[in-house]
Amino acid sequence: MNAFLEYVPGTSLLHRMNPVAKLACAVAFALACFCTSNLVLLAALLLVGFALAASCGMVRPTIGLAKAVFAFSLILAVVQVLTTPTGAVLVELPWGYIGTGSLLAALTTIVRLVAAAIPLFLVFYVTKMNDITNAVVKVLHVPYKYAFTFTSTIHFIPVFMNDMQGIMEAQTARGVEFDAGGIVKKARLMVPLCVPLLVSSVRKTNSAAIAAEVRGFNLRTASSGYKEYPFAAFDVVALVASVALVVLAVVLGLLG
């Protein structure tokens, strides 16, 4: 089983796409989700996201991601329901009411966030971090230190998650019950774990910085990489389709 945001080798069309094209299409897809409130279009985009995940064999991680984003968006949806009284009155509240428009807006928020997140996360599952960094530097001429910082941040997320999991397992072996009690108790148990995680994070970051310095990090330029990232016909088609999707979302947003 692959870790969170860990590259999964494959030969699918998404795997073979230009890294810059993948990033641009994912950003355009997410932008389209935020440019419209049309629930039908958002639902269609959500289905497209799952179809893309299925095309590269990433259905299970995508479902896990969708659950996590759903849990986060559900909090925002509840706040939206309680603070935006619109539509026909369903429930009276001391400060307003819950209406049909409130529920529709909350549902739109949930579908929008889940649909926007899927392509962005798929990019990191089907693309090597080195390819993302080098392609962005070579094609978009982004300074290497900025591209390296971004991809390193993404790279360290699963590393820190694994460290936290190891610390929790060590504490569980010592008799700490993380599953017992309510939310407040669980939060109190998690606080002491931040210290060893912080120490481990500082050590790993320092080691990575020293390794980068020894390998000539400050001397790296756009021409330092040997690998080229040409655009294929499908990359161009995907970019055009992504731009058209954004235009469609904007038009529907203005009409709606």
Side-chain angles (χ1 to χ4, degrees):
M1 183 175 179
N2 295 89
F4 181 69
L5 292 183
E6 181 182 347
Y7 170 69
V8 179
T11 58
S12 68
L13 200 56
L14 287 180
H15 282 86
R16 300 195 305 270
M17 278 183 66
N18 185 289
V20 174
K22 280 187 271 193
L23 276 175
C25 291
V27 171
F29 194 98
L31 184 62
C33 293
F34 285 97
C35 286
T36 183
S37 296
N38 188 300
L39 191 56
V40 176
L41 177 59
L42 289 173
L45 292 176
L46 180 60
L47 292 177
V48 170
F50 277 107
L52 291 173
S55 69
C56 57
M58 299 300 300
V59 176
R60 181 174 294 180
T62 302
I63 292 176
L65 166 68
K67 290 180 179 178
V69 177
F70 174 80
F72 170 76
S73 60
L74 190 60
I75 299 174
L76 299 180
V78 171
V79 174
Q80 193 170 11
V81 166
L82 297 177
T83 57
T84 55
T86 57
V89 179
L90 296 176
V91 179
E92 290 284 353
L93 299 173
W95 59 86
Y97 67 90
I98 298 176
T100 54
S102 306
L103 296 178
L104 183 61
L107 179 61
T108 301
T109 297
I110 294 174
V111 177
R112 174 186 289 130
L113 292 178
V114 176
I118 290 176
L120 292 172
F121 279 82
L122 277 179
V123 170
F124 299 106
Y125 280 117
V126 300
T127 315
K128 294 180 180 179
M129 287 295 178
N130 288 339
D131 286 336
I132 294 177
T133 303
N134 294 331
V136 167
V137 172
K138 272 184 169 292
V139 179
L140 301 182
H141 300 288
V142 174
Y144 181 76
K145 60 181 179 180
Y146 297 127
F148 178 82
T149 301
F150 171 74
T151 53
S152 295
T153 302
I154 301 298
H155 170 74
F156 274 113
I157 291 176
V159 174
F160 292 155
M161 290 177 64
N162 290 335
D163 286 349
M164 175 61 81
Q165 183 65 29
I167 294 171
M168 291 181 65
E169 290 176 356
Q171 293 297 321
T172 301
R174 292 178 173 89
V176 179
E177 297 181 358
F178 291 100
D179 297 331
I183 298 178
V184 176
K185 183 178 179 181
K186 291 180 181 179
R188 291 177 59 185
L189 291 174
M190 294 295 291
V191 171
L193 304 183
C194 295
V195 176
L197 180 63
L198 179 61
V199 173
S200 174
S201 303
V202 171
R203 287 176 179 172
K204 283 183 171 60
T205 304
N206 188 50
S207 299
I210 294 174
E213 187 89 18
V214 171
R215 292 167 182 165
F217 176 80
N218 294 326
L219 303 176
R220 184 69 182 258
T221 63
S223 58
S224 297
Y226 68 91
K227 191 174 181 179
E228 298 296 331
Y229 299 92
F231 282 84
F234 180 77
D235 297 321
V236 178
V237 172
L239 289 171
V240 172
S242 299
V243 173
L245 188 62
V246 174
V247 173
L248 174 63
V250 171
V251 172
L252 290 179
L254 294 175
L255 295 177

